Amino acid sequence: MKTIAVIGGGITGVTTAYALARRGFSVTLFERHRYAAMETSFANGGQLSASNAEVWTHWSTLAKGIKWMLRNDAPLLVNPRPSWHKLSWFGEFIASIPHYRANTIETARLAIAARQHLFDWAQAEGIDFDLKRRGILHIYRDKAGFDHAGRVSALLAEGGLERRAVTPDEMRAIEPTLAGRYYGGYYTESDATGDIHKFTTGLAASIDRLGVETLYNQDVRSVSTTGRRATVISAQDGLPASREFDGLVVCAGVGSRAFARQLGDRVNIYPVKGYSITVNLNDASSQAGAPTVSLLDDETKLVTSRLGADRFRVAGTAEFNGVNRDIRADRIRPLIDWVHQCFPGVSTRSVVPWAGLRPMMPNMMPRVGRGHAANVFYNTGHGHLGWTLSAVTAEMIGDVVRQSVAPEARVTMGDLAVGRR
């Protein structure tokens, strides 16, 4: 049996380990925390959103970043302090703008394919993750935002996604608790929401049952390859250990760039911080006043999910500030204020703030496929859609690994890598 190491125990690492185990590989997963899903997969916005497949590589994104640079509460905040990493990333971001259309369509296609894999896995493994299949409503306060959404809808339709424009009256019928004045919206009935942490930890229990060796509290200090054998040197409680494998898959989020460098590859991931608040709905009026349909507010770049009866998640914004996990009060405050404005019946007396680093490639496409060496692979760089795309990219990398490490096996949908444009 061929042996494969997976570096990273977030949503991409755990789904990758699951897909590989189901293909008959002997899998070892390395995670630096005591449990799975303790970083970016801990408290994201919760949306499984093909409707949010629009990539950011658009001139309007750069214009907003420049305009908002001096606003601490801006939806998109760029620390002006230069670094070679940041400059190179933005240079490649600009170079990817001509691929905006093609990459948006491809992302929508992947997101649609991903959702059925994820639902099937959850059903097969008996994972309860507060799934709600009530769609996602995008809300717009002015004609310009609504018109841009119409152009995006045409691209999403090319990727196979159906969503429809709705009037303010229809918006209120879809989500009666939403307050405020709006120009219009777009509603995607096929989208869903759920708790990424519950799903990932549930699937982590499943891979244990499938025979995956899960090594937690592992500080992976180095990875290397001869092209035929891959070596992982990790330490637990300061005691190093070296293990060899037939292949290696890097799923390490923002740490993937450093591991790729050790393996002779360039994976130019930048950490883009996002924030969330989990509002505990501790009284009946708050539970009645919180939405049950998921929302995406394009103007403020915020998304929502209702997680069970007593939790309401609001998440979003983007902060380019390096590897910085600080939870800033001036970045959390706009999320709380947004709840007050849009859902005045919800008490924010009990709010849990959080921040996580999205691993973003400059072209906004995940890096899924082979590395320079024959036995090195990547499933990383999913940015703001890691939860949405995780199941399909795990299936894709599973097929790529099977073709490369066990070429006698038949390859299905995942033979071609994505994320190269």
Side-chain angles (χ1 to χ4, degrees), residues 47-52 108 111-116 119 131-137 156 160-164 186-193 293-294 388:
Q47 290 188 335
L48 294 161
S49 51
S51 61
N52 197 19
I112 293 167
R115 74 163 61 116
Q116 197 55 54
F119 295 154
L131 174 64
K132 282 190 180 296
R133 301 180 69 169
R134 299 198 58 182
I136 294 177
L137 176 64
L156 300 179
L161 183 71
E162 181 179 342
R163 75 172 185 172
R164 60 185 173 90
Y186 275 86
Y187 182 50
T188 311
E189 295 183 53
S190 59
D191 276 343
T193 59
V293 172
S294 178
T388 296

Side-chain angles (χ1 to χ4, degrees), residues 99-372:
H99 303 296
Y100 160 83
R101 180 181 182 279
N103 285 346
T104 295
I105 294 169
E106 175 66 4
T107 302
R109 186 188 71 81
L110 290 171
I112 293 167
R115 74 163 61 116
Q116 197 55 54
H117 289 301
L118 190 142
F119 295 154
D120 289 347
W121 293 355
Q123 183 175 10
E125 303 298 338
I127 301 172
D128 177 7
F129 61 105
D130 293 328
L131 174 64
K132 282 190 180 296
R133 301 180 69 169
R134 299 198 58 182
I136 294 177
L137 176 64
H138 289 227
I139 62 177
Y140 301 92
R141 293 175 178 80
D142 56 42
K143 185 177 186 298
F146 182 81
D147 288 348
H148 177 78
R151 294 188 289 272
V152 172
S153 285
L155 299 181
L156 300 179
E158 289 190 52
L161 183 71
E162 181 179 342
R163 75 172 185 172
R164 60 185 173 90
V166 290
T167 66
D169 286 342
E170 290 173 315
M171 292 169 62
R172 282 187 284 272
I174 292 167
E175 183 43 70
T177 64
L178 177 64
R181 297 172 61 86
Y182 300 94
Y183 183 87
Y186 275 86
Y187 182 50
T188 311
E189 295 183 53
S190 59
D191 276 343
T193 59
D195 187 322
I196 186 174
H197 185 73
K198 281 189 174 183
F199 178 85
T200 309
T201 54
L203 198 64
S206 297
I207 64 175
D208 283 343
R209 293 193 294 270
L210 288 172
V212 173
E213 183 180 15
T214 51
L215 301 178
Y216 294 110
N217 286 323
Q218 296 290 320
D219 175 18
V220 177
R221 295 183 174 178
S222 70
V223 290
S224 60
T225 181
T226 64
R228 296 181 62 86
R229 298 289 289 170
T231 301
V232 178
I233 298 176
S234 65
Q236 182 175 8
D237 299 326
L239 300 175
S242 178
R243 297 175 176 87
E244 286 195 352
F245 303 90
D246 294 309
L248 169 71
V249 187
V250 176
C251 306
V254 297
S256 299
R257 178 172 175 260
F259 289 129
R261 188 185 303 118
Q262 295 178 26
L263 294 162
D265 294 312
R266 185 171 184 273
V267 180
N268 195 17
I269 283 172
Y270 193 86
V272 181
K273 190 195 297 186
Y275 292 85
S276 79
I277 57 172
T278 302
V279 183
N280 293 314
L281 307 173
N282 293 330
D283 55 78
S285 60
S286 291
Q287 291 176 12
T292 57
V293 172
S294 178
L295 305 174
L296 192 153
D297 185 339
D298 270 343
E299 180 181 325
T300 60
K301 307 303 180 190
L302 295 180
V303 306
T304 74
S305 295
R306 182 70 176 266
L307 304 176
D310 58 359
R311 290 186 301 149
F312 176 43
R313 177 77 47 78
V314 180
T317 75
E319 182 178 313
F320 290 79
N321 195 23
V323 180
N324 180 304
R325 295 180 174 85
D326 294 347
I327 300 175
R328 294 172 44 175
D330 58 351
R331 305 289 287 157
I332 292 293
R333 187 73 242 175
L335 278 65
I336 297 173
D337 291 342
W338 186 89
V339 175
H340 293 164
Q341 293 161 10
C342 296
F343 301 99
V346 173
S347 169
T348 55
R349 187 169 295 151
S350 177
V351 168
V352 181
W354 175 85
L357 300 179
R358 308 180 187 98
M360 284 200 167
M361 295 291 291
N363 62 358
M364 301 286 115
M365 301 296 288
R367 177 73 157 83
V368 185
R370 301 174 179 87
H372 178 74

Side-chain angles (χ1 to χ4, degrees), residues 1-159:
M1 184 182 293
K2 298 292 185 177
T3 58
I4 305 293
V6 175
I7 310 299
I11 184 66
T12 56
V14 172
T15 53
T16 295
Y18 183 75
L20 289 169
R22 282 165 47 108
R23 284 163 172 76
F25 289 101
S26 174
V27 182
T28 301
L29 182 142
F30 293 82
E31 166 56 38
R32 69 178 184 146
H33 291 287
R34 188 177 179 183
Y35 311 103
M38 294 304 292
E39 289 200 10
T40 310
S41 301
F42 186 76
N44 75 349
Q47 290 188 335
L48 294 161
S49 51
S51 61
N52 197 19
E54 181 190 12
V55 296
W56 298 4
T57 46
H58 195 277
W59 286 112
S60 63
T61 306
L62 291 175
K64 291 173 183 175
I66 294 169
K67 180 178 71 173
W68 290 333
M69 194 169 289
L70 299 179
R71 268 186 54 192
N72 287 340
D73 62 348
L76 172 62
L77 181 64
V78 180
N79 185 331
R81 181 178 300 169
S83 70
W84 171 246
H85 185 194
K86 188 187 298 180
L87 292 172
S88 70
W89 192 92
F90 274 109
E92 292 179 41
F93 178 96
I94 292 169
S96 299
I97 288 176
H99 303 296
Y100 160 83
R101 180 181 182 279
N103 285 346
T104 295
I105 294 169
E106 175 66 4
T107 302
R109 186 188 71 81
L110 290 171
I112 293 167
R115 74 163 61 116
Q116 197 55 54
H117 289 301
L118 190 142
F119 295 154
D120 289 347
W121 293 355
Q123 183 175 10
E125 303 298 338
I127 301 172
D128 177 7
F129 61 105
D130 293 328
L131 174 64
K132 282 190 180 296
R133 301 180 69 169
R134 299 198 58 182
I136 294 177
L137 176 64
H138 289 227
I139 62 177
Y140 301 92
R141 293 175 178 80
D142 56 42
K143 185 177 186 298
F146 182 81
D147 288 348
H148 177 78
R151 294 188 289 272
V152 172
S153 285
L155 299 181
L156 300 179
E158 289 190 52

